[in-house]
Amino acid sequence: MKRRIIGTLKEKVSMFGKLLLIVLVGLSAVLATGCKEEKKGLNPLMADLDSADSAEILYFRTPDSSRYFTYLPTRDKAFLGELISNLKQDTVPPITCMKEGKIYLFKNGEIFNTVFFRYLDKECRFLRYIKNGNLFHYALSEPLQASLEKLKTDAKEPAVVEHIPAEN
């Protein structure tokens, strides 16, 4: 009689082990397929992109030197659309070329992001910005490059403000 109880117990443990294994494999499969990242068409790094209503483009006179520049404020929907489209793409590996300008993105009159760019050198074009201390790089398309080049012709130097001494 003891043998029959033990034999039955071994069978139950073996059957329980198989059932547990099947449940674990099934659960793993469900979790693996449920956790796949889907591309939603919006860069999660810059979630407010679509709310950009204007921009100010600064073109540096010499690469990587923001001291002397020309600038152009714009509400050009075609330019903003192309810029946003470029920033919705996947990031690219870091690019070490020097930046030739920056773009302040505005929404409701407030700057909400700054994007740096290089556009003149066909071999080294990029968009990049900093978020939480990390630098993210994006490819710069030919249509956006052409827009930046065209808009530069309208860019102006900032007005000189003379310092007026305070009255005593």
Side-chain angles (χ1 to χ4, degrees):
M1 185 137 187
K2 284 186 182 181
R3 285 183 188 228
R4 184 71 181 135
I5 294 173
I6 293 174
T8 306
L9 186 60
K10 281 184 182 179
E11 289 172 4
K12 285 182 180 179
V13 169
S14 176
M15 194 164 45
F16 178 74
K18 288 178 185 176
L19 182 62
L20 183 62
L21 181 62
I22 290 170
V23 168
L24 288 175
V25 168
L27 185 60
S28 296
V30 168
L31 289 175
T33 57
C35 292
K36 282 187 180 174
E37 187 175 318
E38 292 182 28
K39 202 167 193 173
K40 294 178 176 56
L42 180 60
N43 180 342
L45 297 171
M46 233 191 230
D48 289 344
L49 272 178
D50 288 326
S51 62
D53 55 23
S54 60
E56 189 168 291
I57 309 166
L58 279 69
Y59 297 92
F60 303 153
R61 282 197 188 158
T62 57
D64 225 24
S65 174
S66 60
R67 182 175 176 139
Y68 299 105
F69 61 90
T70 58
Y71 76 101
L72 178 70
T74 183
R75 291 185 176 274
D76 183 335
K77 297 292 183 197
F79 170 76
L80 290 170
E82 189 62 39
L83 177 62
I84 290 167
S85 174
N86 278 239
L87 292 170
K88 285 183 177 180
Q89 303 303 313
D90 290 333
T91 59
V92 298
I95 299 169
T96 58
C97 304
M98 293 185 284
K99 59 188 177 283
E100 295 171 326
K102 63 182 167 182
I103 302 168
Y104 293 117
L105 290 173
F106 290 83
K107 75 175 173 186
N108 302 323
E110 300 290 326
I111 295 174
F112 77 92
N113 213 317
T114 303
V115 178
F116 299 93
F117 65 89
R118 182 173 179 102
Y119 71 110
L120 292 174
D121 183 355
K122 187 175 183 178
E123 301 301 315
C124 191
R125 290 185 190 150
F126 65 80
L127 295 170
R128 68 179 172 209
Y129 71 93
I130 301 168
K131 181 167 184 176
N132 297 330
N134 296 308
L135 195 56
F136 298 94
H137 293 81
Y138 297 87
L140 189 144
S141 68
E142 287 191 28
L144 182 57
Q145 186 273 338
S147 291
L148 284 166
E149 202 164 333
K150 179 180 170 279
L151 291 169
K152 184 176 182 178
T153 61
D154 295 328
K156 306 289 183 215
E157 289 188 26
V160 176
V161 178
E162 293 185 26
H163 177 70
I164 302 172
E167 292 181 30
N168 287 337

